[in-house]
Amino acid sequence: MGYKTVLIPFDFNHQSLNFIHSCLTQIDEPVKIRLVFSSQTEESIFSLLFESKSRRIRKYLDQEFREELDIIKNVHENKIQEFTVDVFRGWNRAALANFCEGNKVDMIMLPTGTLSTSAQHRWLIKNLRKAALPIQLIETIQRTGFIQQSTATIDGEHQSADKVEVTR
Amino acid sequence: MKTTSKLAWVIIAASTLIISLLAVATYYFIKNYSYTDFYKRLETRARITGDYYFEVEGKESETYQRLREKYLETLNNEAFHIVEVNSDSGKSIIKQLELPSSFIQLAVKNGKNRYQRNTVFFEALKYVQHGKTYLVILSAENYYAENHLKFIRYLLVGIIIIMALVVTLLFYYFTKNIFDPITKVTNKVKAISTENIHERLEKEKNSPEIDALIATFNDLLSRLETAFQSQNNFISNASHEYGTPLTAIIGEAEITLKKDRTQEEYKEALTSILTHAERINTITQSLLLLAQIGYNNRAIDLTILRCDDLVLEAATAIEKLHPKARINLDFNFLPENSFKLKVNGNRQLLLVALGNIINNACKYSNYQIVTVSVASSDQYVNIKVIDTGIGIPVEDLPYIYDPFFKAKNAKRFEGYGIGLPLTRNIIHLHKGELVIDSQENKGSLVHIKLPIAKIPQ
């Protein structure tokens, strides 16, 4: 039985985690999830030749973000047939269309706004909206509890300079 | 001998030895090559001479001499002799040249032979004509090779001396740049004692390794300073915690004993003394538990527990104890697979730990809403307790796990300051992690991570 492949764009922030969770909540049948982020960062020839794609992607994901993704994955475990994180490195719509075709994407889930201020992420969202594939717009709900930024942003402020984390 | 001196001698000796070996090998091969080459030159000349005398018709020694002068370079003391072996004239020439008979015999036997006497080299070639055996003997001095070899000898000895000097200078330079900063760091660290433990080492310029060493020392000093501070805090806080009820007991007893009292008054006084004594007992019991869990590391009874049940039980207990408490349990992120909520733990201890954290969140937020959420990644069950209370001042964060310590903005709240260190020890006992993320007047987030039990599903 073939499962639908759903493409979900994200950036490395808590808003993205919220969005991914909201998307998975909307899905009610088993699917293959492909999380995609955009990166045009230059990489060394050595890295391109000798490092596997998955290893390079792991470099982007820090331990905390990976654990948060695991939490979301475990919440929706029964709906997820496959859960992969991928990077899109192109600069134009044709490359994006090729990427979607190559990954056999059946549907794209997009946020009503954007998930971060990064130019690369905004470009990805903008061009995914123009893709010739079924699109579902998802409104992100701010949550307290697990998927949220720490106390520094509880009331919408960001004061990382004052924030101290203690582990002993 | 200092390490630097030892290292200097070893490096200088090793590099000089290597260069010397290289020089000796070079000299040996050049010498061998020059001798072989010279013999070949002699052989060529002997062959030309022999061929001319024995194979060319109408010999003219003048023509031969002219050709030699025109095409062949004259060697030092070069001479050639054509000797008829076994003839009287031949024997007299051999005798005149002072050549050993073995040289002649081998030349006759093998067709050619070589011989060296001091600086003169001999090459003999055998020719047979009209049934008679002749030897063409060519001799010369290897003047050029001798001179070149002498020059190479001087050159190599010079190179060895220069290289030894260069290695010494380089070593001196590196010693200055590598060992001197280490010595400086050692001296600075030696100068730091308990009196000036707040002092830190300054970073060196252009030396990342030394900087890393300095950062490590500074980090160590910071931890030592915190440990000293904790020790001082513990003594003063413990004195305070024990002193308050003891002073009350002594005061109560003294006032009561000043005059005769009614039975009711004695009863009241004893009740007050008992309350304070119970407080001392509670502190002692808590300290005992903290010590047992923290340092004894004794085996505890572990069972498989569901974390959502534990959180629910701890929250219910706190709500019973403090009816004002408003605890919001967020189970939206529970995993679909319940096995991912199970941990290997001691029920009572984990309830104490969770109870402490939830109780603190309620207490320090003046009983505003406290959110407790549970979720699981692939390795850990994560419990987060979030409050919007007074938070912890940044300067107090390093000491929050010290027994009896209370942050400066928490003095007005009741408590002994043992709950958090106890909780930390319980979590560590379960191989978990406790992370506190806090901002003064904003609130705190306590994140407890407990490893998921490995049980077959």
Side-chain angles (χ1 to χ4, degrees):
Chain A
M1 182 186 163
Y3 297 100
K4 271 188 180 177
T5 301
V6 178
L7 187 145
I8 303 175
F10 78 104
D11 207 357
F12 300 92
N13 56 20
H14 283 78
Q15 208 175 339
S16 296
L17 289 168
N18 257 326
F19 171 64
I20 296 165
H21 178 61
S22 303
C23 291
L24 291 170
T25 310
Q26 296 293 317
I27 292 169
D28 46 15
E29 60 177 329
V31 286
K32 290 178 181 176
I33 298 295
R34 192 163 286 266
L35 301 181
V36 178
F37 65 96
S38 171
S39 171
Q40 274 87 33
T41 318
E42 288 289 327
E43 286 193 69
S44 66
I45 297 285
F46 181 86
S47 159
L48 290 168
L49 285 174
F50 298 105
E51 278 186 4
S52 67
K53 192 177 179 182
S54 55
R55 194 172 166 181
R56 275 186 284 136
I57 289 170
R58 275 203 299 275
K59 272 189 190 172
Y60 288 101
L61 300 171
D62 65 18
Q63 182 63 27
E64 194 188 346
F65 196 84
R66 219 176 298 154
E67 276 198 33
E68 302 262 24
L69 276 182
D70 283 344
I71 287 172
I72 296 174
K73 204 171 71 179
N74 286 336
V75 173
H76 304 280
E77 198 174 347
N78 291 344
K79 292 179 204 168
I80 299 169
Q81 284 304 314
E82 202 180 290
F83 193 87
T84 48
V85 179
D86 210 339
V87 54
F88 174 69
R89 305 192 157 278
W91 272 111
N92 53 44
R93 282 175 62 189
L96 189 59
N98 277 340
F99 179 85
C100 291
E101 196 184 332
N103 285 296
K104 295 177 182 164
V105 175
D106 298 302
M107 191 175 85
I108 301 170
M109 294 186 111
L110 291 173
T112 44
T114 54
L115 301 171
S116 87
T117 50
S118 120
Q120 292 173 12
H121 173 74
R122 279 187 287 130
W123 182 91
L124 181 67
I125 297 284
K126 189 178 129 192
N127 286 281
L128 279 174
R129 284 208 174 106
K130 295 172 188 167
L133 283 165
I135 290 171
Q136 188 175 347
L137 290 176
I138 305 290
E139 196 161 346
T140 312
I141 304 155
Q142 283 294 331
R143 292 163 204 279
T144 54
F146 250 87
I147 311 299
Q148 64 150 27
Q149 277 180 302
S150 59
T151 46
T153 51
I154 278 173
D155 54 4
E157 290 174 32
H158 186 72
Q159 298 176 5
S160 57
D162 294 334
K163 195 166 74 105
V164 180
E165 205 166 77
V166 182
T167 317
R168 281 172 64 171
Chain B
M1 196 186 263
K2 282 167 75 178
T3 313
T4 44
S5 312
K6 265 189 213 168
L7 205 58
W9 283 117
V10 168
I11 288 174
I12 292 165
S15 51
T16 310
L17 183 72
I18 290 166
I19 295 162
S20 303
L21 284 174
L22 192 70
V24 168
T26 310
Y27 182 76
Y28 173 77
F29 286 114
I30 289 175
K31 191 179 175 187
N32 265 5
Y33 173 77
S34 72
Y35 283 2
T36 312
D37 182 62
F38 192 70
Y39 274 126
K40 275 185 183 166
R41 290 171 75 184
L42 285 184
E43 189 184 333
T44 310
R45 283 155 198 258
R47 196 163 295 285
I48 291 169
T49 309
D51 287 355
Y52 180 77
Y53 275 96
F54 295 110
E55 288 169 16
V56 178
E57 293 294 324
K59 300 173 234 347
E60 284 180 23
S61 65
E62 279 179 16
T63 315
Y64 169 66
Q65 284 299 338
R66 213 169 45 246
L67 284 171
R68 273 181 64 97
E69 280 166 17
K70 191 173 180 182
Y71 296 109
L72 296 175
E73 178 195 2
T74 312
L75 300 175
N76 208 29
N77 290 331
E78 184 182 342
F80 72 88
H81 306 275
I82 295 169
V83 178
E84 186 190 341
V85 183
N86 298 327
S87 74
D88 289 341
S89 61
K91 280 178 184 168
S92 75
I93 292 169
I94 290 165
K95 200 176 176 184
Q96 200 183 332
L97 291 171
E98 295 175 354
L99 290 169
S101 56
S102 59
F103 167 68
I104 302 296
Q105 281 164 12
L106 277 172
V108 172
K109 192 182 169 190
N110 299 332
K112 63 179 181 179
N113 200 11
R114 288 167 178 178
Y115 175 66
Q116 183 190 353
R117 193 178 59 223
N118 300 327
T119 56
V120 185
F121 292 73
F122 293 88
E123 178 79 30
L125 282 181
K126 179 185 162 189
Y127 279 86
V128 178
Q129 201 173 44
H130 308 304
K132 288 177 182 174
T133 307
Y134 296 91
L135 284 177
V136 177
I137 300 171
L138 212 108
S139 66
E141 278 184 356
N142 193 353
Y143 174 79
Y144 295 104
E146 283 300 318
N147 277 283
H148 290 167
L149 286 175
K150 198 188 275 179
F151 172 72
I152 288 167
R153 270 201 304 271
Y154 289 143
L155 187 72
L156 290 174
V157 169
I159 287 172
I160 291 169
I161 293 166
I162 290 167
M163 286 307 288
L165 281 171
V166 168
V167 169
T168 312
L169 287 173
L170 279 176
F171 186 80
Y172 177 76
Y173 173 77
F174 284 119
T175 308
K176 197 109 188 90
N177 280 278
I178 294 168
F179 288 101
D180 279 8
I182 294 176
T183 315
K184 223 188 277 176
V185 169
T186 313
N187 291 337
K188 278 183 196 169
V189 173
K190 270 185 195 166
I192 293 174
S193 66
T194 47
E195 302 300 315
N196 57 347
I197 200 159
H198 59 277
E199 283 183 19
R200 295 290 177 269
L201 309 181
E202 279 173 27
K203 284 192 174 179
E204 288 286 322
K205 281 176 192 164
N206 308 322
S207 179
E209 288 81 10
I210 302 291
D211 275 355
L213 181 70
I214 288 171
T216 312
F217 270 125
N218 283 343
D219 188 39
L220 181 71
L221 286 170
S222 298
R223 279 184 280 151
L224 275 176
E225 194 183 357
T226 311
F228 275 122
Q229 192 61 44
S230 298
Q231 199 182 15
N232 289 339
N233 286 347
F234 178 81
I235 293 165
S236 66
N237 293 333
S239 307
H240 175 73
E241 288 298 331
Y242 277 105
T244 311
L246 277 173
T247 312
I249 289 169
I250 292 163
E252 191 76 47
E254 276 177 355
I255 290 164
T256 312
L257 289 172
K258 271 191 177 166
K259 59 174 184 178
D260 287 340
R261 309 269 177 189
T262 62
Q263 201 175 350
E264 279 304 309
E265 282 172 332
Y266 279 125
K267 204 174 173 183
E268 202 177 303
L270 281 174
T271 309
S272 169
I273 287 170
L274 183 64
T275 309
H276 293 301
E278 274 172 353
R279 183 180 158 92
I280 293 173
N281 188 41
T282 310
I283 296 169
T284 312
Q285 292 300 322
S286 305
L287 268 182
L288 199 61
L289 184 62
L290 179 68
Q292 279 175 342
I293 289 169
Y295 308 108
N296 230 2
N297 212 10
R298 67 197 166 115
I300 50 165
D301 295 331
L302 299 174
T303 47
I304 302 292
L305 305 165
R306 267 186 73 141
C307 279
D308 50 345
D309 287 345
L310 281 175
V311 167
L312 192 63
E313 200 174 331
T316 312
I318 297 299
E319 277 171 341
K320 271 188 191 163
L321 199 64
H322 305 288
K324 286 190 286 179
R326 291 152 70 197
I327 303 166
N328 169 33
L329 294 176
D330 176 10
F331 288 154
N332 285 321
F333 286 89
L334 287 186
E336 288 193 334
N337 181 351
S338 63
F339 278 89
K340 289 188 175 169
L341 280 170
K342 291 181 180 176
V343 296
N344 222 355
N346 181 292
R347 185 176 195 82
Q348 290 311 316
L349 289 179
L350 284 176
L351 282 174
V352 168
L354 286 170
N356 275 334
I357 298 294
I358 299 171
N359 188 35
N360 281 352
C362 294
K363 185 168 68 177
Y364 296 118
S365 65
N366 290 316
Y367 299 100
Q368 293 179 57
I369 291 178
V370 168
T371 305
V372 184
S373 49
V374 184
S376 289
S377 63
D378 287 347
Q379 276 99 37
Y380 293 99
V381 176
N382 296 261
I383 301 163
K384 281 185 180 177
V385 180
I386 303 159
D387 70 71
T388 49
I390 59 169
I392 305 165
V394 175
E395 63 273 20
D396 286 344
L397 276 168
Y399 309 111
I400 56 173
Y401 297 109
D402 295 345
F404 296 119
F405 180 82
K406 285 174 102 175
K408 69 172 188 281
N409 59 350
K411 302 276 187 200
R412 63 193 161 92
F413 293 90
E414 204 183 318
Y416 310 130
I418 297 177
L420 204 51
L422 187 62
T423 303
R424 195 263 311 250
N425 286 356
I426 292 171
I427 300 301
H428 282 187
L429 200 63
H430 287 82
K431 297 183 172 58
E433 286 175 32
L434 177 69
V435 180
I436 296 182
D437 183 2
S438 186
Q439 258 190 286
E440 196 175 358
N441 300 323
K442 296 271 180 194
S444 301
L445 185 153
V446 180
H447 188 173
I448 296 169
K449 285 166 88 173
L450 293 167
I452 295 172
K454 286 174 185 143
I455 41 174
Q457 296 184 21

